[in-house]
């Protein structure tokens, strides 16, 4: 049985600019979209989510940083509360 | 029936330093803990979550910024993937 895809949030705090850029690129490679300066989200199966996590960990290597990968079920996704005052400055990748 | 408390993530991107500090203080007032530089998390009922969201929106006012409040059920909380290389610099409040 193929595992269900869940909306997955990736949050990170990473000190080194280059490493942070690389982490963002890994998220994009997995089809996630940037939702905040240091947060991505997108739909992933459990396998893909674990693969992404391992890739992010490898990419961080020994640099200072923190990575959180949080799946959110459809029911909870529908309860999200969002507010934005645009324009926000474009984060560089 | 009192509404169930769910782990709630608050993510924000806010340009103005002072407003960002105020947003962080609102999160602390609601008993959330800082999990990333611009992310807080803690257990909230639906009512409290909505109250928090309104307070955050008021606090942002007309400043540039984006706020996301996402509840996560217990089942999904247990699937979180976390990695940290310490020490990270202390974020100022």
């Amino acid at each position: 049985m193929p595992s269900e895809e869940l909306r997955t949030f990736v949050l990170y705090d990473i000190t080194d600019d280059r490493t942070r850029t690389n982490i963002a690129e890994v998220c994009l490679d997995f089809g996630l979209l940037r939702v905040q300066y240091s947060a991505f989200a997108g739909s992933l199966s459990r396998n893909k989510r674990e693969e992404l996590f391992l890739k992010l960990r490898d990419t961080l290597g020994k640099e200072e940083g923190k990575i959180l990968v949080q799946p959110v079920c459809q029911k909870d996704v529908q309860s999200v509360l969002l507010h934005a005052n645009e324009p926000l400055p474009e984060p560089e990748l």
Side-chain angles (χ1 to χ4, degrees), chain A residues 31-88:
Chain A
L32 305 186
L33 295 177
R34 187 166 226 146
V35 292
Q36 302 269 356
Y37 183 69
S38 290
F40 281 78
S43 189
L44 292 178
S45 68
R46 188 172 135 182
N47 281 352
K48 273 285 170 197
R49 193 157 54 243
E50 286 172 0
E51 193 187 315
L52 168 62
F53 180 64
L54 295 177
K55 190 75 190 283
L56 292 172
R57 227 169 51 175
D58 279 359
T59 304
L60 180 61
K62 295 185 172 177
E63 293 290 337
E64 269 184 8
K66 204 165 157 187
I67 297 165
L68 185 152
V69 176
Q70 176 67 68
V72 179
C73 65
Q74 190 51 33
K75 182 170 173 291
D76 292 338
V77 165
Q78 287 167 355
S79 303
V80 72
L81 301 168
L82 260 175
H83 178 72
N85 293 336
E86 306 293 356
L88 277 182

Side-chain angles (χ1 to χ4, degrees), chain A residues 3-18:
Chain A
S3 91
E4 185 197 6
E5 291 201 351
L6 292 184
R7 179 154 222 233
T8 299
F9 283 88
V10 176
L11 314 183
Y12 52 88
D13 274 346
I14 290 163
T15 313
D16 180 62
D17 290 347
R18 190 191 171 124

